[in-house]
Amino acid sequence: MMSFLMAVSISACGAKEAPPAEQSAPKPAPAAQAPAAPAYPTKQIEYIVPYSAGGGVDLVARATADYLSKEWGQPIVVVNKAGGGGAVGAEYALKQAKPDGYTALAVNVSNTTMLTAGMVNSPVKNEDQIYAARIGKGTLAFAVKADAPWKDFAEFSQWVKENPEQLTWTSVGPAGFSAFGVAEWMDTIGADFSKSRMIVTKGASDSVPKVAGGHAVLAVHTVGEIMPMVQAGKVKILAVSGTKRSPFLPDVPTAEELGIKGLTVFWWTGVSFAKGTPDYVVEKWQESIAKMEQDPAFVRKLTEIQVEAAFAKSADFIQDVNQETEYYTELATKKSIRK
C-alpha cells in the first residue's frame, strides 16, 4: 500500500503541466463599404456643341442626347455655341460652367488635338478636360463643285501642285479639321501649302454650300457632312482618305488607290468634361455610351448621318488624343499653321 501511494506521488510530481488551450484569433472587423456615388443626373444637362447646327458634331451630339435622355430620365439639351474654330463653346463648357457634370462638351478633333497643335497659347488644352468617351469617327473626303473640270483626285492634285495659289479651301479656322487635312495632303503631293488660301466658315453646313456656289474650290469634311450636297447634285467627292473605302461611298476611291499615300487625318467626336468633374460622372457617361453603341437603333442613326461607331473608353481616348496631338503639332510647325 505504501509503495503504491509513493508511486502515485512520484508520478504526479514528474508530470508536465498541460499546455493552456489555444485562444481563437479575433475575427477581423467587417470592411467598411465605400460610400455610394451620388445620384446622377438629377436635373437637366447642357450638352455644348461648339459649332453651328447641322454639322457632324452637332448631329452625333443630338443622337446621343436623345438616347441618354431616355436612358436616364432627365433632359439633355443641345446648345450650339459656334466661333473661334470651336474654342468659344469649348471655353464655356470647360472654364466657365461648373465642373459638376451638368455641362458636357461635344468634343472633337478640331477643338482638341488640332487646336492645341495649331496654337502656341491655345485657349483650350488637353489638360483642361477629362475625355469621357469617344463616340464616332468619320472618313475625310475631298469635295469640289459638281461641274468642276477634274475627272479624279490624281488630276486635281496635279493641278494644285502646279497652281497652289489658285486653291481656295474652307475651314472653321487655321487650326481646324479641314486645315490639317489640306496641309497633310499638300505636303504629301509636294504642293506649296503657304500659297493656298483658306476661307473661314462656321462649319460644314456653311462651307460646303460655299464650294457648291463657286466661292471656294475645295471642301474637306467627313463623308456625312458633305453627303447632302452630293445627293443634291451640287458637289462631288473626288476621293476619301484612309486605307480603305468609306462604307457609305463604296464607289469612291481612296487617295491611296490613286497613288497619293500617307493621308492619316480623320475626324472623330466624343464627350469631355471640365477638370474637377467627379469621377462618377465620367464613369456614368463612359458606361452609358458603351451600352448605347451596342444598341442597333442608335447605330442606325449614326449610319444615317454617315458616321461610324467608334467607342473608346476614357483611358484609351486620352492616350489616342495625346499621340494625335504630338503628330499634329509636328505637322502644324512644319506647315507654319502653329501660331
Side-chain angles (χ1 to χ4, degrees), residues 313-333:
K313 64 181 181 181
S314 182
D316 294 338
F317 194 12
I318 291 169
Q319 181 177 316
D320 289 348
V321 163
N322 288 335
Q323 291 176 348
E324 197 174 77
T325 301
E326 185 177 344
Y327 169 67
Y328 287 148
T329 299
E330 291 176 2
L331 179 62
T333 302

Side-chain angles (χ1 to χ4, degrees), residues 34-257:
Y40 172 86
T42 58
K43 61 181 181 179
Q44 177 176 297
I45 295 172
E46 265 196 341
Y47 195 171
I48 306 301
V49 173
Y51 304 102
S52 56
V57 177
D58 178 72
L59 294 174
V60 172
R62 290 181 187 278
T64 301
D66 181 59
Y67 178 93
L68 294 180
S69 292
K70 294 173 183 175
E71 179 78 6
W72 295 341
Q74 292 292 342
I76 300 178
V77 180
V78 173
V79 179
N80 296 90
K81 288 185 178 292
V88 172
E91 280 193 279
Y92 171 79
L94 302 176
K95 295 186 175 182
Q96 297 173 29
K98 291 181 179 179
D100 57 3
Y102 288 93
T103 304
L105 175 64
V107 70
N108 106 304
V109 63
S110 293
N111 62 16
T112 53
T113 59
M114 290 178 174
L115 188 64
T116 299
M119 301 181 71
V120 175
N121 295 309
S122 171
V124 178
K125 298 180 174 62
N126 290 338
E127 54 265 32
D128 294 328
Q129 55 197 310
I130 303 169
Y131 295 90
R134 188 176 64 208
I135 299 172
K137 68 177 183 178
T139 302
L140 178 149
F142 296 84
V144 295
K145 194 175 179 183
D147 60 359
W150 307 286
K151 68 177 190 231
D152 60 30
F153 194 53
E155 185 178 288
F156 177 63
S157 295
Q158 185 60 37
W159 177 81
V160 170
K161 184 176 180 180
E162 295 171 357
N163 306 280
E165 70 286 349
Q166 294 185 44
L167 176 65
T168 54
W169 46 276
T170 57
S171 178
V172 295
F177 172 73
S178 302
F180 280 85
V182 171
E184 183 183 56
W185 159 60
M186 293 187 72
D187 185 56
T188 299
I189 65 174
D192 191 342
F193 175 73
S194 67
K195 292 183 178 179
S196 67
R197 184 165 64 89
M198 177 187 68
I199 297 176
V200 178
T201 66
K202 294 180 180 179
S205 58
D206 178 28
S207 71
V208 183
K210 279 184 167 55
V211 171
H215 304 294
V217 173
L218 177 68
V220 179
H221 290 287
T222 65
V223 169
E225 291 173 319
I226 299 173
M227 189 65 82
M229 297 297 279
V230 170
Q231 294 170 335
K234 302 293 186 182
V235 300
K236 62 182 178 181
I237 295 176
L238 296 176
V240 296
S241 65
T243 57
K244 61 181 181 179
R245 296 190 179 195
S246 165
F248 310 116
L249 286 173
D251 296 330
V252 175
T254 64
E256 189 164 306
E257 288 178 69

